Amino acid sequence: MKKYYAYRCGRKFTCLAIVAFLIGLVTAQALLSIRGAQSILTLKWTKSNLGSGFWEGGVVIGDVIQSNPGEEIVFATDYNRGTVWCLDDYDGRTLWTYSDSAIYAYAQVSLYDVDGDGKLEVLVPLYYPPGVFCLRGDGTIYWRTTISGSSGTIMSSLAAVDVDGDGKLEVFAGSQNIEAGSDKKFSGKNIKLSHDG
């Protein structure tokens, strides 16, 4: 009896939440129509000349260059061997690029202050050979490491956390191995790196 009652109450609550959302949505649309308000989102700028490469890893936004007003947009493409781009969020101009043949379109860059100095670094997973490199906010290399014993790729984002309480972040990555042949086997390896690779 209690399970049935809880199920019915949960179902009623869900229905009420959906109805409240729809009423709010209709009300907001009506107010915008009455006031003749413009769309909330407007196009600020577009960016061309990113080469013919493609990317699937998404973008990250943060205050990578502290001397630059606003924040920066950072992402990786497979253009020109593989490139990390840093764009100004105000007008889309390129602030810096960094190229490396191990960067691929799947690279999901991450922003972390790995060394605890108050400045964000850019962590980039490497496709082949698998590994990680870390760029300073100005686009210069801080460190680079390859994952030994792994023949595959890193196709996911990296994670960083201070597990030992020393004020510096450890970086965690997972690679995947794919063996060729009709009976392809997948395996992988998880690694932990210190803040300096």
Side-chain angles (χ1 to χ4, degrees):
M1 180 68 171
K2 287 183 180 180
K3 286 183 183 178
Y4 177 72
Y5 178 73
Y7 171 75
R8 286 183 52 108
C9 287
R11 196 167 175 200
K12 285 181 183 177
F13 178 75
T14 303
C15 290
L16 287 173
I18 291 171
V19 169
F21 172 76
L22 291 174
I23 291 172
L25 186 62
V26 169
T27 304
Q29 288 292 345
L31 288 174
L32 287 175
S33 297
I34 292 170
R35 294 180 12 183
Q38 294 179 343
S39 173
I40 295 171
L41 299 176
T42 58
L43 181 63
K44 192 172 180 180
W45 51 264
T46 61
K47 179 70 175 173
S48 57
N49 300 323
L50 293 175
S52 59
F54 68 97
W55 51 287
E56 298 179 15
V59 301
V60 290
I61 300 171
D63 191 8
V64 177
I65 305 172
Q66 293 180 342
S67 61
N68 187 51
E71 296 182 320
E72 292 74 43
I73 301 166
V74 184
F75 59 95
T77 69
D78 70 343
Y79 169 71
N80 191 25
R81 301 184 323 157
T83 303
V84 177
W85 300 79
C86 181
L87 308 180
D88 190 313
D89 75 332
Y90 180 74
D91 58 10
R93 68 189 154 90
T94 302
L95 299 172
W96 56 258
T97 61
Y98 184 89
S99 294
D100 188 292
S101 61
I103 300 171
Y104 195 61
Y106 304 116
Q108 298 177 24
V109 298
S110 305
L111 302 179
Y112 289 102
D113 178 9
V114 294
D115 55 9
D117 67 352
K119 299 175 184 173
L120 290 174
E121 284 81 34
V122 180
L123 292 175
V124 182
L126 301 176
Y127 187 72
Y128 189 82
V132 177
F133 73 74
C134 182
L135 298 172
R136 292 185 180 93
D138 62 1
T140 58
I141 190 82
Y142 180 29
W143 54 262
R144 178 192 175 119
T145 189
T146 26
I147 300 173
S148 60
S150 179
S151 63
T153 64
I154 299 177
M155 294 178 64
S156 63
S157 58
L158 305 169
V161 66
D162 183 8
V163 294
D164 57 12
D166 68 351
K168 296 177 173 139
L169 302 182
E170 287 73 39
V171 178
F172 296 87
S175 67
Q176 70 178 16
N177 294 327
I178 303 172
E179 295 179 15
S182 61
D183 61 337
K184 291 184 179 184
K185 297 177 184 174
F186 294 87
S187 63
K189 184 176 186 178
N190 293 317
I191 62 159
K192 178 182 97 169
L193 303 168
S194 66
H195 74 281
D196 57 2

